[in-house]
Amino acid sequence: MVAFVSHVTVDCSDAYSLAQWWKPVLGYQDVPGDPNLPGHEECMITDPEGAGVDILFIEVPEGKSAKNRLHLDLRPRADLRDTEIERIAAHGATVVADHRGIYGPGSGWVTFADPEGNEFCVLRSPAEIATAEPADT
């Protein structure tokens, strides 16, 4: 028997605000019939296309104290990596590290932090990977 990932849980100080911040980043929505409201200690968001894993934000009393041991790697659904990086930066994410070009032109990723310091990366789009030279992967 094997298991599957039901959802990813993110500890935070304000579940509602962080869920609201992440919805436009991922194109997610509240779970139908279970809206997230200010003051909710648990807020789940879901991919309306059913392709992505749900994310549950849960309020905890302690703040983030070290680097994440687990983080999300995001691929743009339609845009190119750099377009997505600009969009997410304009949305208020903080650049932690820029690794673009680390393995040559067109390679790499950017590591961001959300408003509560949770790190995530933006990788190249599937289209960019499909057209990349072997050394760029």
Side-chain angles (χ1 to χ4, degrees):
M1 189 157 141
V2 297
F4 66 94
V5 176
S6 168
H7 56 274
V8 173
T9 301
V10 178
D11 291 349
C12 59
S13 63
D14 185 341
Y16 175 77
S17 293
L18 203 54
Q20 293 302 107
W21 189 87
W22 273 98
K23 285 194 300 189
V25 170
L26 300 172
Y28 276 29
Q29 65 185 22
D30 292 349
V31 173
D34 187 15
N36 297 317
L37 299 171
H40 282 182
E41 294 178 357
E42 296 184 5
C43 294
M44 184 173 280
I45 59 175
T46 189
D47 182 352
E49 297 177 12
V53 67
D54 294 347
I55 301 179
L56 176 63
F57 300 91
I58 296 182
E59 292 183 8
V60 296
E62 62 278 346
K64 182 178 181 253
S65 61
K67 183 184 181 308
N68 295 17
R69 302 262 329 229
L70 174 75
H71 69 267
L72 302 177
D73 284 338
L74 310 180
R75 286 201 192 278
R77 293 180 191 241
D79 287 326
L80 300 177
R81 176 199 59 200
D82 290 348
T83 303
E84 190 70 5
I85 286 168
E86 290 172 16
R87 184 182 75 83
I88 289 173
H91 184 58
T94 301
V95 174
V96 174
D98 189 336
H99 300 287
R100 288 178 283 187
I102 192 168
Y103 300 115
S107 68
W109 64 93
V110 171
T111 303
F112 284 102
D114 72 14
E116 290 202 17
N118 300 299
E119 295 173 12
F120 62 98
C121 296
V122 176
L123 313 174
R124 292 180 299 156
S125 69
E128 289 172 293
I129 292 169
T131 61
E133 297 293 324
D136 291 346
T137 58

